[in-house]
Amino acid sequence: MLNFWPVYKREVKTYFQSPSTYVVLALFFLIVSLIYQDLMTVFSSLSASAGQQSMFGQTNQAPNVTDFVIRQTFQILTSLVMFTIPMLSMRLVAEEKNRGTFELLVTCPLGDWAILMGKYLALVTVGLVIVILSGVYPLIAWWMGRANGAAPEWPIVVSCWIALLLIFSAYSAFGVMASSFTENQISAGIVTLIGLILWNVLGVFQMEKYPKVREILTEFSAGEHTENFIRGVLMLKDFAFYILASFLFLFIASKTLDARRWRI
Amino acid sequence: MAINKSTNSIKVVFRMLPVVGVLCLLGGFFWAVRQARFDPTSYTLCGVGIALFLTLFVKAEVANLKYYLHVFVYSVLVLGICVIGYLFVKQYAQKVDLTKEKLFSLSDQTTKYLRQLKKKVSIIIFTDNPAPFKDIENLYNGETKELGWQYHNAIKEPMAARMVATEGTVRNGDIFIKSGENSKRLNIAELAGNYENVLTNAIIEVTRDRKLKICFLGGHGEIAYEAPEPPSERNQRPKASLSAFREFLTERGFETAPLDLAQTGFVPKDAAMIVVAGPQSDLFDSETKQLEAYLKANGKMLVMFGPPAARTVPPMPNIKKLLADFGVDAPDELVLDLFSKQLMLEPYQPMIYTYDETSPITRDLSARGQRYPLSFTRPLRQGEVPSEYEFKALVKSSPQSMSVALQAVYNNEPVKPMNEGPQILGASVSSLPPPQMPAGMPSPPQKDMMRLVVYGSNDLIENGFLGTHQMAVELMLDTVNWLTQQEDMIAVPPRQLEGTPIILTGAQLRLIFVFTVVAIPALLFFGGISYSLLRRRT
């Protein structure tokens, strides 16, 4: 398992030499930036109207940049990851199987876990790049508000980064699992997308007659566990949820690869 | 040959599975449309449909079925282990609140109280959506195991509602906090401003052994203590009564009792507070002496004036003198507020416009700054306040208000403004608080203090008004809590997000647009593609 380095290096190289990665990243940041720009415009007008009202002696709480802009931006970022992962993960195992290079890979002295971990961590590295690039939004808010001392709360920003990285990791594991099921990239992408959407909307189902079922589904819904992070609350159970989910998906992927040894 | 045949037939069945999946999916949707909502049947059909449809992407390798089964069994086993692991970790509600204002944590006072709580407390919430309460439940349950939370829908579970409340109607939005025989009723709206303050104090109240007794003075034409008979004629207005206010107090853990001071001749020893609600005639001399002595011996009293029932304004020298001795003047005047006219109200309905920020009674209300009208309100003034007491103007009318002679209004005579500007509509007088000790020194024990609150209108506790204005409910609750000097009550200040306004100029907004919407995606797109093309060439 620990000798994943060669696979990881090769996958990272493939990701960052592939134009599709940059197209996906550019699209991802274009959408987030459009929303961010809109949030900043609304925030500025709210700040101005709160200022005007306080001048006329009326009480109106001025908005908070972390609450209004940063939290919402990261909410969008974490939601968009759901649509980004299928595009990045679909080729991971499926392409190798399709091209026939997978047999070559498994003949190397590497275990299934090493292969999977190399591929998975390469995808998480792309996630890390997204996390680093997302730092630009709180930085702009800090730059614009520094004159008024209106800086974002950096501990909450860190919490949002952790959320982004954890959710990216869990979704990546799901993507790797889906990719290991099939030889067809498109199928892998569709399965990942449908799976991630279903995993996210688990708690949304209206089950008025069965509140307990709804409670359980909500508890195991992916989106439910990012809320605490985005609010600035780090909870042990949320960390455990994403780490265990990642482990589970990678385990299923490894078992799926393992099954090929026995297939007729 | 026979094996090949059966293998082929299994393959055919396997190929049919995606089609069956699509049919199941359609069936699920059809069922949902028929039921006008998604129910477990439609969810199951859709789920099975998706699962079967996905078999389209799985090769029909029947011979390898047992290996797939092997993967499935192992996966389910590990899923179970992961779920158990997660549930185990979930038990330990370890968390770090990174917000500056600690918005998602309980205050130190609440935490300390909950940790030493020894009595079982049930918190029964009537709602159609328990989700917003789950966070609060987790916060409180993280500190104590004594709290039991129940959620019911008052519409769908009328029996549960009937079992919880012996009298009155229970609606969604009602919250009952019970411990042994004690019970307290709250409303979700009361939690809106500062849920922790309200909820923790409710828990303290129901776990307290002794109930505080509030006595309502009678015998001078005050608002009826008992609920009145319903009006005999359709157009007749129901008589004013204190029944709603009394119910409100009972639900909050107080005990109420009528008091005929002229008959008994003394104030009961167990009286936590005396209420004089809208007297129409003056107090007797003996009563005045009793009440003065009671107040001077650190008693608590709430006095509220009502509109005169007759066309002649009754002189009330004894009440006025009693109040004047403590620094509150209540002249025979009426507040007219021109600001009310802007809101399509009558000028004799003055607005509660400003709240005293320093008084514990109005501090929270002041932060919210909501306004509401009273009617026929006497203005109050600060008189000669004895040195050992402190006077506070709790609520004032708008700057566009004035006071006029009450009798002139009743005589329909032209009125002359007697005092222009904001009028005091409610005031408090109390013994001076003990001096603040320097940091690190133990604070002296809280002694019993004289406390008096006077309002120029009895609207605030009258049946018709109390239930319709949430602000009146809160103002009266804070008044009663302060008067009864419940110092063991926890005062958790409302935690609000600090405003961090950023006002951007047009140029700054353009800069943000160019940098985020144009530069970053363009850099990623063109830079990335150029880099990958270059790498491929080399």
Side-chain angles (χ1 to χ4, degrees):
Chain A
M1 182 177 158
L2 289 173
N3 49 354
F4 62 82
W5 187 248
V7 182
Y8 170 75
K9 234 165 71 178
R10 194 193 72 155
E11 287 299 328
V12 168
K13 221 170 170 183
T14 313
Y15 267 124
F16 290 103
Q17 284 182 4
S18 156
S20 64
T21 309
Y22 296 103
V23 172
V24 170
L25 288 182
L27 258 174
F28 180 83
F29 279 101
L30 177 70
I31 297 167
V32 178
S33 296
L34 280 168
I35 294 165
Y36 177 78
Q37 152 81 17
D38 200 38
L39 284 171
M40 281 301 271
T41 311
V42 176
F43 183 77
S44 173
S45 11
L46 282 176
S47 303
S49 74
Q52 276 174 353
Q53 288 188 357
S54 67
M55 273 168 67
F56 291 107
Q58 290 171 317
T59 50
N60 186 12
Q61 176 72 24
N64 180 288
V65 71
T66 314
D67 187 50
F68 194 88
V69 180
I70 305 301
R71 282 198 179 120
Q72 292 202 56
T73 307
F74 275 92
Q75 197 91 54
I76 301 294
L77 273 162
T78 49
S79 311
L80 277 181
V81 167
M82 187 164 58
F83 301 98
T84 316
I85 289 290
M87 290 186 262
L88 294 171
S89 70
M90 61 187 190
R91 47 159 285 276
L92 274 174
V93 185
E95 193 185 41
E96 301 249 21
K97 280 184 182 172
N98 195 25
R99 283 185 183 171
T101 52
F102 193 71
E103 298 309 320
L104 205 64
L105 190 65
V106 291
T107 52
C108 298
L110 298 167
D112 288 342
W113 270 100
I115 296 168
L116 284 173
M117 285 305 282
K119 287 175 178 292
Y120 167 70
L121 289 177
L123 186 50
V124 173
T125 308
V126 179
L128 202 61
V129 171
I130 290 181
V131 170
I132 292 166
L133 284 174
S134 71
V136 97
Y137 302 112
L139 272 176
I140 290 172
W142 167 78
W143 182 258
M144 294 296 172
R146 74 193 191 288
N148 312 335
E153 287 179 42
W154 290 106
I156 296 180
V157 174
V158 172
S159 173
C160 291
W161 278 333
I162 295 172
L164 193 56
L165 194 59
L166 279 174
I167 206 156
F168 200 96
S169 309
Y171 288 177
S172 299
F174 191 93
V176 171
M177 178 187 77
S179 185
S180 71
F181 288 159
T182 172
E183 288 173 12
N184 188 322
Q185 282 190 47
I186 305 296
S187 312
I190 292 171
V191 171
T192 309
L193 186 65
I194 293 175
L196 290 181
I197 290 173
L198 283 176
W199 191 23
N200 260 278
V201 299
L202 272 182
V204 181
F205 298 141
Q206 293 295 318
M207 289 196 174
E208 286 167 8
K209 277 191 181 171
Y210 309 93
K212 273 280 162 206
V213 177
R214 190 183 170 182
E215 208 174 297
I216 292 167
L217 289 177
T218 309
E219 192 64 51
F220 291 101
S221 146
E224 184 69 18
H225 293 268
T226 48
E227 272 178 31
N228 282 329
F229 284 110
I230 287 172
R231 286 194 299 188
V233 180
L234 302 182
M235 289 191 85
L236 190 62
K237 68 173 183 120
D238 297 327
F239 280 97
F241 179 80
Y242 287 119
I243 292 168
L244 286 170
S246 303
F247 170 74
L248 174 70
F249 297 138
L250 289 176
F251 177 83
I252 296 172
S254 84
K255 277 286 149 200
T256 312
L257 294 188
D258 190 34
R260 87 186 178 279
R261 291 186 210 281
W262 314 102
R263 279 201 306 240
I264 300 160
Chain B
M1 192 70 180
I3 292 169
N4 272 348
K5 216 173 179 182
S6 77
T7 309
N8 281 339
S9 57
I10 292 174
K11 272 188 177 177
V12 169
V13 171
F14 201 79
R15 278 190 199 127
M16 288 298 290
L17 288 180
V19 181
V20 178
V22 173
L23 290 176
C24 277
L25 200 60
L26 288 174
F29 280 117
F30 176 73
W31 185 260
V33 171
R34 213 181 137 200
Q35 299 289 316
R37 71 190 176 91
F38 272 92
D39 64 357
T41 315
S42 45
Y43 285 136
T44 313
L45 279 171
C46 288
V48 170
I50 290 169
L52 290 178
F53 179 72
L54 290 178
T55 57
L56 182 71
F57 305 109
V58 179
K59 268 192 169 179
E61 293 173 286
V62 179
N64 292 318
L65 209 59
K66 63 179 173 184
Y67 302 117
Y68 289 128
L69 199 67
H70 167 88
V71 173
F72 179 75
V73 170
Y74 261 94
S75 304
V76 169
L77 206 68
V78 174
L79 171 71
I81 293 168
C82 286
V83 169
I84 291 167
Y86 171 71
L87 294 176
F88 179 75
V89 172
K90 202 189 156 200
Q91 280 186 325
Y92 301 94
Q94 298 294 330
K95 66 161 195 171
V96 183
D97 185 352
L98 296 173
T99 56
K100 202 158 91 185
E101 296 86 2
K102 298 285 169 232
L103 292 172
F104 306 104
S105 306
L106 295 175
S107 67
D108 291 344
Q109 299 114 297
T110 302
T111 308
K112 198 176 153 193
Y113 177 78
L114 290 175
R115 283 183 185 167
Q116 49 97 39
L117 185 66
K118 294 281 183 285
K119 287 183 178 174
K120 288 272 174 212
V121 179
S122 304
I123 298 170
I124 305 150
I125 301 172
F126 286 90
T127 177
D128 53 358
N129 180 21
F133 296 97
K134 289 289 175 185
D135 284 343
I136 301 177
E137 180 185 335
N138 290 338
L139 276 176
Y140 276 77
N141 283 359
E143 303 301 338
T144 180
K145 298 262 180 268
E146 303 296 334
L147 303 181
W149 299 71
Q150 295 173 35
Y151 299 93
H152 297 287
N153 189 328
I155 300 163
K156 293 183 178 169
E157 299 165 80
M159 281 307 287
R162 219 167 291 162
M163 281 175 76
V164 171
T166 45
E167 54 186 54
T169 320
V170 177
R171 295 186 185 90
N172 277 340
D174 286 337
I175 300 171
F176 291 85
I177 291 131
K178 293 187 166 216
S179 178
E181 292 294 300
N182 296 344
S183 169
K184 187 176 164 79
R185 186 179 187 158
L186 295 171
N187 192 280
I188 287 174
E190 290 175 58
L191 303 187
N194 188 355
Y195 76 87
E196 187 189 340
N197 194 38
V198 178
L199 202 56
T200 307
N201 284 321
I203 295 168
I204 293 172
E205 262 184 63
V206 295
T207 49
R208 190 188 287 144
D209 292 326
R210 191 176 71 88
K211 277 192 173 184
L212 295 170
K213 188 174 176 182
I214 297 177
C215 296
F216 288 82
L217 189 71
H220 318 89
E222 288 91 345
I223 310 178
Y225 178 77
E226 299 291 347
E229 292 287 317
S232 50
E233 288 170 37
R234 193 179 285 177
N235 297 334
Q236 214 176 341
R237 269 190 66 189
K239 275 188 176 174
S241 147
L242 291 170
S243 59
F245 184 54
R246 281 176 43 227
E247 195 182 318
F248 166 84
L249 291 173
T250 313
E251 282 166 0
R252 277 153 187 82
F254 293 99
E255 193 185 328
T256 61
L259 170 67
D260 193 339
L261 204 51
Q263 213 170 48
T264 57
F266 61 90
V267 176
K269 276 187 181 168
D270 58 348
M273 165 186 155
I274 290 175
V275 181
V276 184
Q280 291 296 327
S281 61
D282 203 10
L283 302 178
F284 300 118
D285 291 346
S286 59
E287 288 176 310
T288 316
K289 275 182 196 159
Q290 282 286 337
L291 289 175
E292 191 172 351
Y294 166 73
L295 272 178
K296 282 187 174 162
N298 295 328
K300 281 94 187 162
M301 196 155 86
L302 170 66
V303 180
M304 306 181 92
F305 287 98
R311 293 201 72 84
T312 315
V313 177
M316 292 194 273
N318 280 344
I319 294 182
K320 283 185 196 168
K321 188 183 168 300
L322 175 69
L323 298 179
D325 284 348
F326 292 90
V328 183
D329 285 344
D332 287 333
E333 292 170 21
L334 187 74
V335 180
L336 294 185
D337 192 348
L338 299 180
F339 179 71
S340 303
K341 281 193 88 172
Q342 294 173 16
L343 304 170
M344 312 298 281
L345 296 167
E346 296 296 335
Y348 57 78
Q349 292 178 291
M351 277 283 159
I352 291 191
Y353 195 84
T354 52
Y355 301 84
D356 184 59
E357 286 174 17
T358 60
S359 167
I361 301 176
T362 44
R363 196 184 295 140
D364 284 358
L365 295 165
S366 163
R368 277 181 278 159
Q370 288 180 20
R371 295 157 184 163
Y372 61 92
L374 298 174
S375 65
F376 287 102
T377 308
R378 272 178 195 249
L380 305 171
R381 297 205 184 108
Q382 181 172 354
E384 276 183 34
V385 185
S387 58
E388 67 269 33
Y389 299 135
E390 185 184 30
F391 177 95
K392 279 188 175 168
L394 296 176
V395 282
K396 285 185 181 174
S397 62
S398 84
Q400 298 171 47
S401 48
M402 65 184 87
S403 72
V404 295
L406 187 55
Q407 191 60 66
V409 176
Y410 269 70
N411 293 347
N412 281 334
E413 291 168 8
V415 290
K416 272 188 237 165
M418 302 180 80
N419 188 4
E420 289 184 80
Q423 304 292 316
I424 301 174
L425 307 177
S428 70
V429 182
S430 64
S431 308
L432 285 168
Q436 289 281 324
M437 298 303 285
M441 294 280 285
S443 52
Q446 191 70 58
K447 61 172 186 170
D448 211 13
M449 297 166 96
M450 188 290 290
R451 286 186 173 177
L452 167 69
V453 172
V454 186
Y455 285 109
S457 166
N458 60 18
D459 270 358
L460 291 162
I461 55 170
E462 216 186 272
N463 272 8
F465 192 85
L466 188 72
T468 52
H469 287 264
Q470 185 55 33
M471 295 301 287
V473 171
E474 285 185 44
L475 183 60
M476 287 323 296
L477 185 62
D478 290 341
T479 303
V480 172
N481 278 338
W482 181 77
L483 276 169
T484 47
Q485 208 178 332
Q486 298 181 68
E487 304 301 357
D488 56 341
M489 288 291 191
I490 285 169
V492 182
R495 274 171 278 181
Q496 283 182 326
L497 278 172
E498 188 192 339
T500 51
I502 301 174
I503 300 169
L504 300 168
T505 59
Q508 283 175 318
L509 282 170
R510 272 194 298 279
L511 187 70
I512 293 176
F513 178 80
V514 170
F515 189 69
T516 58
V517 181
V518 180
I520 296 175
L523 195 74
L524 281 168
F525 187 79
F526 295 110
I529 287 180
S530 316
Y531 170 74
S532 58
L533 288 177
L534 271 173
R535 291 291 299 178
R536 279 183 185 189
R537 267 186 211 168
T538 55

